[in-house]
Amino acid sequence: MIWLTLGLMTLIIFISRYLFLEPKLPLKLNKSTLQFLSYAAPAVLTAIIAPLVFVKEHALYISIHNSYLVGAIIACLLAYFTRNTLLTVVVSMGIFFFIL
Amino acid sequence: MSTLTQPETYVAQSNHKSFWQGVIATLPLCIAVIPWGILAGSYAIEVGLTSLESQAMSAIVFAGAAQLVALGMIKAGIGLTSILLTTLLITSRHLLYSMALRKDISPLPLKWRLSLGFLLTDELFAIVTTRKTPNKQHTFDRWYALGGGLSFYVFWNIATLIGIIAGQAIPNMEEWGLDFAIASTFIALIIPMIKAKSILVCVLVSLVGSVVCSVLNIEAGLLISALIGMACGTLYAQMTGEAS
């Protein structure tokens, strides 16, 4: 059952990644669509992590005791002022795991 | 597209260099994904998968968010159909990525399309779309993308292996907050992307949308809020005449 689950998940995920890379698929993207798609990375990445940071058990959790939120704010400040990916992730994770 | 029009000799010389540039550009993300990979491995063991199944999950499924959610559902005894529908919702964002990269990757030979398609994660998409070149022009380079994608794949699987070994010795590692790694990594990616007001609008709308969806327990929240965020960013740019 686990192998079947893994196999079908692999199939679904691969198709979603590959589908529009297939040249035989008849699809022309106009300029507006391409502009719309240029926002995909910031929009999707934000939508993945925002609930992790702001929500706990389906309730808004804005508090100094929410270590995910405090850690995320520290990461934002580090990313903004240093513009260094490695430094941002290493320092913010260090603070999160050892202090918060 | 420039690599397609360059003379073959030049392409041949620069392949190796591009590949390693991709590896180096992805290195911070490879290091950042380690805690998350450890979580994926240890949680799979916790849920009751064998070591081989746990490693295979990272090796063939290769999708962090979908793996962790599926494991949670397996643990809760939820059926295969629900697991697959949820996988489809979580992975639907990749449709946006493949659409955005269509102009760059669809002209490539099949083996390139299949490899880059398989390796197309959030991280790889971010790396190839924000690549900084000396002339500040966005140019897609297949070798750069392959270097980035492969190194990320290797790190993800090594981290999973560490998690599998650690998970057998230490129980309840999923309570350590290892998932903060993904928040930290994505923040480090998102902040430098905000180079125009329309992108800030997009990010804020997506943030509020996904939080509201999560509170309301809407399963497709990720996709819905990302699409609304993208639409708001596009509208803002078009209405204010912002140069793209």
Side-chain angles (χ1 to χ4, degrees):
Chain A
M1 193 60 181
I2 295 291
W3 285 106
L4 180 68
T5 309
L6 295 187
L8 292 172
M9 281 180 72
T10 303
L11 194 68
I12 291 172
I13 291 168
F14 179 74
I15 289 172
S16 73
R17 285 174 174 162
Y18 182 78
L19 188 65
F20 293 109
L21 303 179
E22 174 52 54
K24 290 200 191 77
L25 190 84
L27 173 77
K28 273 270 178 206
L29 299 172
N30 61 29
K31 220 177 154 210
S32 278
T33 315
L34 286 173
Q35 189 187 11
F36 174 74
L37 290 170
S38 73
Y39 293 93
V44 173
L45 298 182
T46 304
I48 291 173
I49 60 164
L52 185 69
V53 170
F54 289 99
V55 182
K56 193 181 180 187
E57 286 155 6
H58 300 299
L60 194 61
Y61 185 31
I62 296 180
S63 156
I64 190 86
H65 302 295
N66 179 353
S67 48
Y68 282 84
L69 180 58
V70 177
I73 292 169
I74 292 169
C76 284
L77 294 173
L78 284 166
Y80 185 79
F81 288 108
T82 70
R83 302 268 148 181
N84 183 320
T85 311
L86 188 60
L87 186 116
T88 302
V89 296
V90 170
V91 174
S92 67
M93 277 197 257
I95 293 173
F96 179 86
F97 289 124
F98 296 107
I99 299 173
L100 296 177
Chain B
M1 291 298 279
S2 65
T3 53
L4 294 176
T5 52
Q6 280 162 356
E8 276 302 314
T9 48
Y10 176 75
V11 173
Q13 278 169 10
S14 63
N15 288 348
H16 193 252
K17 202 179 157 199
S18 295
F19 181 88
W20 285 104
Q21 279 175 346
V23 172
I24 289 163
T26 317
L27 219 46
L29 303 179
C30 291
I31 292 165
V33 86
I34 291 172
W36 220 40
I38 292 176
L39 176 63
S42 61
Y43 193 38
I45 294 295
E46 180 83 25
V47 166
L49 271 65
T50 64
S51 300
L52 184 66
E53 288 163 349
S54 306
Q55 188 69 57
M57 196 174 203
S58 283
I60 65 169
V61 179
F62 187 45
Q67 286 178 227
L68 289 168
V69 172
L71 286 171
M73 294 177 84
I74 294 170
K75 193 182 187 187
I78 293 166
L80 182 58
T81 314
S82 299
I83 293 176
L84 295 179
L85 284 174
T86 307
T87 301
L88 188 61
L89 280 178
I90 297 173
T91 197
S92 53
R93 66 186 191 277
H94 294 111
L95 292 168
L96 296 173
Y97 298 166
S98 65
M99 211 185 275
L101 293 175
R102 180 174 171 81
K103 64 176 175 3
D104 296 318
I105 299 181
S106 71
L108 301 180
L110 181 66
K111 62 176 182 184
W112 279 97
R113 298 199 308 268
L114 293 175
S115 332
L116 294 179
F118 178 74
L119 295 171
L120 186 53
T121 54
D122 297 302
E123 286 82 357
L124 183 62
F125 183 65
I127 283 289
V128 297
T129 51
T130 58
R131 185 184 182 192
K132 292 182 201 83
T133 47
N135 58 5
K136 300 225 166 186
Q137 271 190 325
H138 170 67
T139 46
F140 180 83
D141 184 326
R142 61 183 93 171
W143 288 97
Y144 182 86
L146 186 69
L150 276 182
S151 54
F152 194 70
Y153 180 78
V154 168
F155 269 79
W156 175 247
N157 277 282
I158 292 173
T160 302
L161 181 62
I162 298 170
I164 291 169
I165 296 164
Q168 285 165 335
I170 313 160
N172 297 322
M173 278 178 71
E174 74 276 10
E175 285 162 16
W176 286 11
L178 293 167
D179 52 353
F180 178 74
I182 205 63
S184 160
T185 310
F186 284 7
I187 288 168
L189 289 172
I190 297 163
I191 299 288
M193 283 178 188
I194 306 175
K195 285 182 186 143
K197 273 191 185 159
S198 65
I199 304 174
L200 183 63
V201 169
C202 161
V203 164
L204 292 177
V205 170
S206 182
L207 188 153
V208 173
S210 62
V211 168
V212 169
C213 286
S214 175
V215 169
L216 297 178
N217 206 2
I218 298 170
E219 287 248 31
L222 164 58
L223 188 64
I224 295 170
S225 49
L227 288 172
I228 297 174
M230 290 162 71
C232 289
T234 311
L235 274 177
Y236 183 90
Q238 288 182 349
M239 282 164 66
T240 57
E242 182 184 281
S244 55

